[in-house]
Amino acid sequence: MKCTYCNNESVVTIRKRKLCKEHFNNYYKKRIEKVLKKVPIKSKRILVALSGGKDSVSIFHFLSKAKDKYKFYLEGIFIDLGIEKFSEKSKMISIKLADSLGLNLNVVSLKEIYKKTIDEISEKEKKVCASCGTIKRFVINDFAYKNNFDFIITGHNMDDETIFLNQNILSGSIEYIKRYTRFYTETLQNLKLIGKIKPQFFVSENDNKVYCNVNNLEYVKDSCPYSKKSPHKKLEWFVKNLNKKMDYSYNFLNFFLKINDYLPETKINEFHFCPECGYPTVNKTICKFCRIIKNWCLK
């Protein structure tokens, strides 16, 4: 099949338009820059959270090409979670990518720092995905804060954001709905919290897959072995099936962007600084991260 805009062979069909590699990359660039042009990224130190999956691989590669245009400094971070076979494969792919781009990748080992792995935590923790998410967020923020990064970039795509929004609609969490319809959060140095940017807010999971394939980027094709138990799975199936028939995710997110200003402001809960790690927490004693580490990892 020929590209809608030229005589080259098409690589993907998006909203009934057939795109070749060149025109797909242009489409992808416009979607990413729709966010980059609206965030204060110039002259900032940016840390990309790499997992080896198609989302983080594609955004790390794209930003490596965009850093001169937008004038920011770029590094990556990979958290070695110690998941048998999966973590090692993900790490090798991330290291190989960073080397090919001439960028620094910081590899942080859960086993070396906290003496346990996710595999070991899973033996005692039923909600392993929730615990893993807490651990990753803490470790990445801690590294970014201690190494003077201005923003953390994550590989959350348009479908991820749609799933999160649907979850919070079903649970009636208006404050989280307002939070998730943002491209970025600001850095709060006084709270030791580094802001996050989501450049893939307007690109789908499939867009990232196509980007990797047409640009010959290796990525982990296997899912995390623990993700099968994730509560996201049913909503993920729902969103993917709707996207096959319509631009559900794109239209859904744009709708909430339009009504965002009419939603109540996010409530700031009372917090204190955790006596163990020194980071803010709304828990009455130690933070959730330290509770996981103390209760499950250091027994």
Side-chain angles (χ1 to χ4, degrees), residues 47-51 60 75-82 87-88 90-99 103-113 139-140 143 147 149:
L47 183 69
V48 176
L50 266 173
S51 67
F60 196 52
E75 284 190 24
I77 182 171
F78 176 84
I79 310 299
D80 187 344
L81 300 168
S87 287
E88 190 61 28
S90 302
K91 180 170 67 174
M92 290 301 102
I93 285 175
S94 299
I95 291 172
K96 183 179 177 181
L97 175 64
D99 288 344
L103 295 172
N104 185 47
L105 178 66
N106 304 279
V107 178
V108 179
S109 169
L110 211 61
K111 181 73 171 179
E112 289 180 8
I113 299 177
V139 172
I140 293 170
F143 183 92
N147 290 277
F149 283 93

Side-chain angles (χ1 to χ4, degrees), residues 9-20:
E9 184 179 353
S10 67
V11 295
V12 67
T13 300
I14 297 175
R15 286 186 287 179
K16 298 181 180 181
R17 294 176 299 169
K18 294 175 175 58
L19 304 178
C20 64

Side-chain angles (χ1 to χ4, degrees), residues 283 285-297:
N283 293 335
T285 54
I286 64 174
C287 70
K288 186 177 179 181
F289 170 80
C290 288
R291 188 168 69 248
I292 293 169
I293 296 301
K294 292 294 182 183
N295 291 348
W296 300 106
C297 297

Side-chain angles (χ1 to χ4, degrees), residues 50 175 227 229 254:
L50 266 173
E175 65 274 19
S227 66
K229 301 176 182 178
N254 272 294

Side-chain angles (χ1 to χ4, degrees), residues 244-260:
K244 290 178 182 178
K245 300 176 182 179
M246 63 182 81
D247 296 325
Y248 176 70
S249 290
Y250 186 75
N251 293 330
F252 189 78
L253 289 181
N254 272 294
F255 170 74
F256 276 97
L257 285 173
K258 290 177 181 177
I259 67 168
N260 191 278

